Amino acid sequence: MASVADMFDVTWEEMRDKLRKWRDENNRNSEQIVDVGEELINDYASKLGDDIWIIYEQVMIAALDLSRDNLAMQCLHELRKQFPGSHRVKRLTGMRFESLERYEDANKMYDGILQEDPTNTAARKRKIAILKALGKTTEAIRELNEYLEQFVGDQEAWHELAELYINEHDYAKAAFCLEELMMTNPHNHLYCQHYAEVKYTQGGLENLEISRKYFSQALKLNNRNMRALFGLYMAASHTASNPKANAKIKKDNMRYATWAALQINKAYQLAGRGKKENKNSLKVVEDMLEALQITQS
């Protein structure tokens, strides 16, 4: 089988830089990481200098995603030799146990880390991940809440807690978690979009109006967010048809919904002229506009 370097005519330096870029972007494209990383550690390890250790870790995590236990163990073996007793390497050992569904062994590993370092956030979050994997959602929620009392600035934990509440249909608490995220990162359009979706799901006139405002904010932050554009259309059109809305609210939201539908129509026209699937999508958008016109009349 041809090597990655030969197939794509790239140097080992370019392969190393690609792995670094994926790390910086927190991109977990495991198949590509394994393809590039396995070749690097097997053929160019002596040229990588200190970069080899972070690459071993990156490749190991990707190998676990793909159930490549032999490759994961190869990386783990090298890391253990270089960093004996390291909490980070112990955590990777625990993650391997998790991938093999040896959850008791994984928990013992994380407990050992926490006994030596009670502030080790990575080990605590892995224990919560195990509860989630075992379907113990209530316990996972309790542990995450206790964790966030100590580490209130952990955005990843707030997002995970929001997802757990959504899975439990506790939308009010999920909305609270997303509000915390928006306070710390008000320019993240995905947080605004996610919050808008939760408020839309809660329903009721007040929540629908909040939903429409945050879909609008998500669009303001990223005008290419099609999910937010569709959300704006849905929230505005449902607000306009809500019997509890007064005449002004209905008129304003009909205008917002019409604008959103027109923007969706334009986007589909630009995205794929002549393609059959896009013609079908355009028909759906045209039906949306027609429905709005009927409602207005």
Side-chain angles (χ1 to χ4, degrees):
M1 183 177 175
S3 68
V4 173
D6 291 338
M7 284 175 63
F8 298 101
D9 192 25
V10 292
T11 65
W12 69 265
E13 291 97 338
E14 289 172 315
M15 293 163 67
R16 175 201 61 197
D17 293 344
K18 178 62 74 174
L19 285 179
R20 182 184 295 131
K21 183 174 185 288
W22 287 333
R23 286 196 305 273
D24 292 343
E25 295 175 352
N26 199 25
N27 198 334
R28 199 157 172 171
N29 47 333
S30 301
E31 289 188 14
Q32 292 172 290
I33 289 171
V34 164
D35 287 342
V36 175
E38 186 174 18
E39 186 169 321
L40 269 178
I41 61 179
N42 286 336
D43 297 344
Y44 303 102
S46 61
K47 298 181 178 182
L48 290 168
D50 286 339
D51 283 344
I52 187 64
W53 310 116
I54 191 67
I55 290 173
Y56 274 131
E57 180 179 15
Q58 185 180 11
V59 172
M60 179 186 170
I61 293 170
L64 293 177
D65 287 343
L66 302 177
S67 300
R68 291 279 307 277
D69 190 56
N70 288 341
L71 178 58
M73 275 305 299
Q74 176 189 344
C75 298
L76 185 58
H77 176 70
E78 295 298 331
L79 289 166
R80 281 175 176 167
K81 283 198 304 181
Q82 181 67 17
F83 307 104
S86 160
H87 287 167
R88 190 161 174 166
V89 175
K90 287 179 180 178
R91 175 174 57 82
L92 291 171
T93 303
M95 290 173 67
R96 176 175 174 267
F97 287 145
E98 287 183 65
S99 74
L100 299 172
E101 298 186 0
R102 292 169 55 184
Y103 296 121
E104 189 175 341
D105 291 331
N107 264 323
K108 286 179 182 177
M109 185 65 65
Y110 301 140
D111 286 339
I113 295 171
L114 290 168
Q115 194 169 10
E116 295 174 12
D117 178 14
T119 64
N120 192 299
T121 59
R124 286 191 66 175
K125 287 199 277 189
R126 292 315 314 168
K127 286 177 67 67
I128 294 167
I130 290 174
L131 291 173
K132 186 179 174 185
L134 292 172
K136 297 180 178 180
T137 306
T138 303
E139 292 178 42
I141 287 172
R142 186 185 66 244
E143 290 294 325
L144 257 179
N145 274 300
E146 290 179 7
Y147 171 85
L148 283 165
E149 286 178 8
Q150 292 180 270
F151 305 99
V152 70
D154 191 326
Q155 294 185 36
E156 182 184 33
W158 280 113
H159 195 269
E160 181 62 34
L161 185 57
E163 291 295 332
L164 288 173
Y165 279 133
I166 288 169
N167 291 339
E168 293 295 294
H169 307 292
D170 195 339
Y171 298 113
K173 289 180 180 176
F176 173 80
C177 296
L178 292 164
E179 286 165 4
E180 290 289 330
L181 284 170
M182 290 190 296
M183 282 172 58
T184 56
N185 197 344
H187 301 296
N188 187 315
H189 70 102
L190 294 175
Y191 291 160
C192 293
Q193 172 205 306
H194 203 174
Y195 180 70
E197 290 168 348
V198 168
K199 300 306 285 185
Y200 179 86
T201 304
Q202 283 184 278
L205 181 58
E206 183 180 352
N207 286 323
L208 282 172
E209 288 198 87
I210 293 171
S211 173
R212 189 256 304 158
K213 289 175 183 176
Y214 278 90
F215 278 129
S216 298
Q217 178 65 11
L219 276 171
K220 183 178 177 182
L221 294 169
N222 179 4
N223 60 13
R224 299 177 68 182
N225 186 332
M226 285 298 294
R227 191 177 176 107
L229 190 56
F230 270 103
L232 174 58
Y233 165 77
M234 295 296 293
S237 58
H238 278 83
T239 302
S241 62
N242 191 298
K244 293 182 180 180
N246 61 38
K248 183 178 185 307
I249 289 175
K250 288 184 176 183
K251 182 179 178 181
D252 288 345
N253 279 278
M254 187 61 68
R255 190 171 73 251
Y256 302 144
T258 302
W259 178 86
L262 287 168
Q263 298 308 308
I264 293 167
N265 193 16
K266 287 179 185 176
Y268 273 105
Q269 287 177 338
L270 289 170
R273 299 185 179 105
K275 293 182 181 178
K276 184 178 178 181
E277 59 270 24
N278 282 299
K279 287 181 179 178
N280 292 335
S281 300
L282 278 170
K283 179 68 170 62
V284 172
V285 177
E286 287 164 1
D287 289 345
M288 286 163 51
L289 283 165
E290 186 178 341
L292 281 171
Q293 289 165 358
I294 292 169
T295 308
Q296 278 181 303
S297 59

